[in-house]
Amino acid sequence: MLRGLIVVLTGLLAFAAPACAQGQPGSRFEGWTAAIIQADWRDGRGQPIQAFDNARRDLGQAFQRAGFERANMVEFSLQRDAPDAVLSGVRTAAAKATRGCLLYFTSHGAPDGMVFGDAPRMTPDVMANMVRNTCGARPTVVIVSACYSGIFLNALQGPNRMVLTAARRDRTSFGCGADERYPWFDGCILETLPNAPDFLALAADARACVNRKEAEAGIERPSEPQLFVGADMQMRLPTLRFQRAP
């Protein structure tokens, strides 16, 4: 009698285990390419700092926890990677994972472009061509953490795009000194990502975080992060929810 009961229970558990596994939802970002690009490693005087490198490393880990697959994620540092190799590496990764794109840049910026290693500054036209050639018409999120990064907003707009920048086109961003762990904008992304349900909430929460930091520091000309969401992405983004550990 006892032996028969054990056999029955064993069979039920064997049947139930695969069913439970099948019921676990997969990441909404399965098949997405994610590229985290540290495009500078120096302060305003050209001295090495750790803030950008810290951001690249920890942003990669944070987006993995949010559901992006490590196998489809690439990270580059222009301190050690040649600019052409970075562009080629991002295109190669995007050719393998074709469901969507996340491109995140962290660097210094100027009114005419973003520092891109020792190459000429990346202008809005150059970045727009890179994003178009890399991601095409697939759903695409571009985040640019740099001073004056609002200059990229118009060039990157499209119905399949969300674009978030750390500052207005005529404003600096903050936190790129030797005594900072992260640029403030990157730090706010890292602070708010664990609790944000999706990219729209992440953008709103990160902007609020930046505003708070700048108010506490008495910044007179706040950076005012900018956001663009294309028509297709307005409908899609609420369905692309970040994954959370049980």
Side-chain angles (χ1 to χ4, degrees):
M1 182 74 167
L2 180 59
R3 180 179 299 175
L5 181 59
I6 292 174
V7 171
V8 170
L9 288 174
T10 302
L12 287 173
L13 289 172
F15 176 79
C20 291
Q22 291 171 4
Q24 295 174 353
S27 170
R28 298 297 176 90
F29 298 98
E30 182 179 354
W32 275 57
T33 298
I36 314 295
I37 301 168
Q38 169 202 342
D40 204 1
W41 62 95
R42 301 157 290 199
D43 64 14
R45 297 173 298 175
Q47 298 302 307
I49 59 173
Q50 295 298 313
F52 296 119
D53 194 51
N54 292 339
R56 173 195 54 77
R57 179 197 65 225
D58 292 350
L59 285 164
Q61 295 173 1
F63 279 111
Q64 287 176 52
R65 290 192 292 269
F68 286 85
E69 300 166 301
R70 183 67 187 95
N72 295 327
M73 179 177 289
V74 291
E75 298 178 18
F76 295 101
S77 167
L78 270 295
Q79 184 174 10
R80 60 174 183 265
D81 300 316
D84 288 345
V86 172
L87 298 177
S88 175
V90 175
R91 286 195 302 270
T92 299
K96 297 177 182 177
T98 60
R99 291 189 61 189
C101 278
L102 167 63
L103 304 179
Y104 195 117
F105 301 86
T106 181
S107 186
H108 282 298
D112 61 343
M114 181 187 74
V115 173
F116 198 70
D118 292 325
R121 287 177 184 155
M122 179 172 282
T123 63
D125 287 346
V126 171
M127 185 179 287
N129 286 334
M130 174 195 176
V131 175
R132 181 170 54 252
N133 294 335
T134 300
C135 301
R138 72 191 73 169
T140 299
V141 176
V142 184
I143 302 177
V144 187
S145 175
C147 293
Y148 309 103
S149 47
I151 64 171
F152 295 101
L153 205 69
N154 289 340
L156 295 176
Q157 289 184 10
N160 64 314
R161 305 267 179 81
M162 170 182 155
V163 184
L164 177 62
T165 70
R168 264 172 42 173
R169 64 183 302 115
D170 59 344
R171 297 287 176 90
T172 60
S173 55
F174 300 94
C176 301
D179 57 343
E180 299 284 354
R181 184 177 182 184
Y182 310 113
W184 288 2
F185 178 83
D186 295 334
C188 282
I189 292 288
L190 287 164
E191 178 180 320
T192 57
L193 181 56
N195 295 314
D198 54 40
F199 272 113
L200 292 174
L202 176 65
D205 293 347
R207 292 162 82 185
C209 172
V210 169
N211 292 342
R212 184 191 75 242
K213 284 179 176 289
E214 292 176 349
E216 291 172 350
I219 302 296
E220 295 183 358
R221 286 173 56 83
S223 54
E224 298 187 17
Q226 301 291 295
L227 175 66
F228 167 83
V229 182
D232 293 347
M233 291 295 272
Q234 291 178 24
M235 302 294 293
R236 184 184 295 269
L237 284 173
T239 71
L240 294 171
R241 299 182 68 82
F242 295 132
Q243 186 168 281
R244 298 298 176 217

